[in-house]
Amino acid sequence: MTVLNIIHDCLDALLHPSARYDALTRARHRAFMAPRLLGSLAAFAAFPVYLAMRGAPTALEVAAFSWLVAPILLSWFLSRTGRYEGAHVLSSLALTGLVMTMAMTTGGIESFAAIWLVVVPLEAALSASRRVVAFASVLALSCTALLIVFGQFDLLPSPDANSVPRGVFMAFGVASAALYAAGLAFGAESLARTSVALLYVEEDRYRLLARNMSDVITRHRRNGAVQFISPAVEAMLGTPVSRLLGHGLFDRVHVADRPAYLTALSDAARGGEVRSVEFRLRRESPRGPARGQNGQVDFIWVEMRCRPLEQTSEVAVSPEAEVVAVLRDVTDRKIQEQALDLARTAAEQADASKTRFLATMSHELRTPLNAIIGFSEMIIQEDALMIDAARRKEYAQLINDSGQHLLSVVNGILDMSKMESGNFEISPEPFAPRAALVNCCNLLALKARENAVDLVTRAPEDLPVMTGDPRAFKQIVLNLVANAIKFTERGGRVTVSANVEGSRLMLRFTDTGVGISADDLKRIGDPFFQAGTTYQRRHEGTGLGLSIVKSLVALHAGEMTVQSKLDEGTSVTVALPLTLTPRTEQPSSNIATLNPAGRSATPERSQQVKKSA
């Protein structure tokens, strides 16, 4: 191994710089130089032994040994210039010249050396160049023809009559040519093995890239048919490569995205520019059909960048324009874009809600404040205006009513803030829902009569006792009944009913009022949202009633549904569990209380209300 390594290092030192960076070219240069240098050195080493055994050499023998200098010169030429084809041409000329010289002096076409003309094209085959092989073949055939012509016209010296030396030379010529041809065959096999090994290395390299790249590389016809697709698609779509060839990939493109997919491929094949398109691809589920948890087909978003295929191989040139594409999974980016769109929409809705809230508050707060200021000024100037005691009492009552309205508005805002921050809690206890329901309806019966609205209560006597917060229950009922009465025209009807379905108490509030449009119905229950146009309102309110109801129902682990049509009325259904599991108790300072009017208030605020009363 040490001797071989030394020879290997010496040959590498002799290589031209242009052949040191390509493995196949380096192997070819070594295969050209190694046998010639080693053969010449071996022949020169054997030349003194030959002289000692043979004696004085003849002119032919001197010419033969002189030819041994040619391989060394050819190796030097290749080492200095790197011209591999030129070195093979010179080698063919040198070998042909030696064969012609020996054949012309030993009998022409019948010489033992003539068989070596067959070796000339074989040696040129190692160059892997058609031009060199053609040149060597023409050269060998031309020399053969010359030997035949010279023999026909007796232009060559007659061979020696001694048959024994001639037969020996013939045997030597055939054996030496066969050995040389065998050496060429082994060299060709070595180069072929090196080429295959390098091919395997390149295949492994590209296979490694294809299998470990997250992007998928495809090759398409202009009509979209897939001719090649990298194995990375199996991880992306969960299906074998064989099922995606042809139109298998096209069949997985979402129906709505297929025109864009085909257009991008066609434009890339025709226009010669890079095209980019995003579309959805159906992905196989690991358990079988490509369906998600809700039964819908599972699609992923893919970005495809395609460009025309540059066909550099003269063997596999296709008459039809082809396209190479790179597919990348962009589902996460699409989800982020959708989340940004939703966030933008939510921000726009919040901004609109803020505008409506400010407009509503400017009305809800200004009206009672004007009343308070106006009537208080009149009381201050009672001597000048000569206001009697009855009129003072009436003004004081109006001031108190306006203050109570302001307090209810502020309490609603505070309650909504607590619910949104998660600090609003309920205190469940057993209570009779029928009595609470009837009591709330009785409280609002006067308002219903003033609005000429018929209020009907349907609650069976055998309603079971439920566990919940009775004050929150009353606030739910009061808000919903008050809303129904407020938005019902004179002569209309509001129906409140209760019944038990399974383990839940079902409360239904039905009115024949103005109804709610389909667009507004989607946002019912949002804080500060009021159906209809804010600046053309016919009814008072801050838009917090249904939002508070929705939050209280959620705190009771219940459900609220709203059904409504314009000019046909509204139906609100509230489903509350008969038994509410209490949550982990919080410090008493964080537990909100509800005042008798149905508004929540902290203990301090409740004391202020009692004092003002």
Side-chain angles (χ1 to χ4, degrees), residues 445-465:
L446 178 60
K447 182 178 181 180
R449 285 195 299 270
E450 291 176 354
N451 292 353
V453 174
D454 187 13
L455 178 59
V456 179
T457 304
R458 296 173 181 173
E461 298 287 344
D462 58 347
L463 280 181
V465 175

Side-chain angles (χ1 to χ4, degrees), residues 63-84:
F65 279 102
S66 299
W67 176 80
L68 296 176
V69 181
I72 298 177
L73 296 176
L74 293 174
S75 299
W76 177 83
F77 172 80
L78 180 60
S79 175
R80 300 296 295 176
T81 63
R83 298 173 59 183
Y84 185 65

Side-chain angles (χ1 to χ4, degrees), residues 191-264:
L191 289 177
R193 188 169 60 252
T194 303
S195 300
V196 172
L198 293 175
L199 180 61
Y200 285 157
V201 170
E202 292 297 323
E203 287 182 352
D204 290 340
R205 182 182 304 169
Y206 288 116
R207 188 179 295 109
L208 178 66
L209 292 176
R211 289 188 178 277
N212 292 278
M213 284 179 57
S214 58
D215 296 348
V216 177
I217 302 174
T218 58
R219 180 177 178 179
H220 302 259
R221 293 187 183 275
R222 187 171 181 175
N223 61 357
V226 178
Q227 293 182 291
F228 167 80
I229 187 166
S230 61
V233 74
E234 296 181 359
M236 178 184 290
L237 300 181
T239 185
V241 172
S242 58
R243 296 178 58 185
L244 300 175
L245 297 177
H247 293 284
L249 182 64
F250 173 78
D251 294 337
R252 293 181 173 273
V253 179
H254 194 281
V255 176
D257 300 334
R258 290 179 180 179
Y261 169 79
L262 294 176
T263 301

Side-chain angles (χ1 to χ4, degrees), residues 1-12:
M1 294 298 295
T2 305
V3 176
L4 292 178
N5 291 334
I6 294 174
I7 296 174
H8 188 275
D9 294 339
C10 292
L11 290 175
D12 286 343

Side-chain angles (χ1 to χ4, degrees), residues 306-386:
C306 47
R307 61 182 302 165
L309 177 64
E310 298 178 0
Q311 299 180 352
T312 57
S313 175
E314 298 179 357
V315 179
V317 174
S318 175
E320 181 182 357
E322 295 182 352
V323 176
V324 62
V326 178
L327 281 69
R328 176 174 298 175
D329 188 349
V330 294
T331 305
D332 293 340
R333 190 189 73 191
K334 280 290 184 180
I335 292 176
Q336 293 176 359
E337 291 177 357
Q338 293 174 0
L340 289 176
D341 292 339
L342 292 176
R344 187 182 301 109
T345 302
E348 293 173 355
Q349 291 179 352
D351 184 68
S353 298
K354 180 191 70 175
T355 302
R356 283 193 298 269
F357 172 70
L358 293 176
T360 301
M361 288 299 100
S362 65
H363 174 78
E364 293 292 335
L365 299 179
R366 183 173 55 216
T367 301
L369 282 176
N370 287 336
I372 293 172
I373 294 172
F375 288 116
S376 62
E377 287 179 351
M378 294 179 69
I379 293 176
I380 293 174
Q381 301 176 8
E382 61 177 344
D383 294 338
L385 297 176
M386 294 182 295

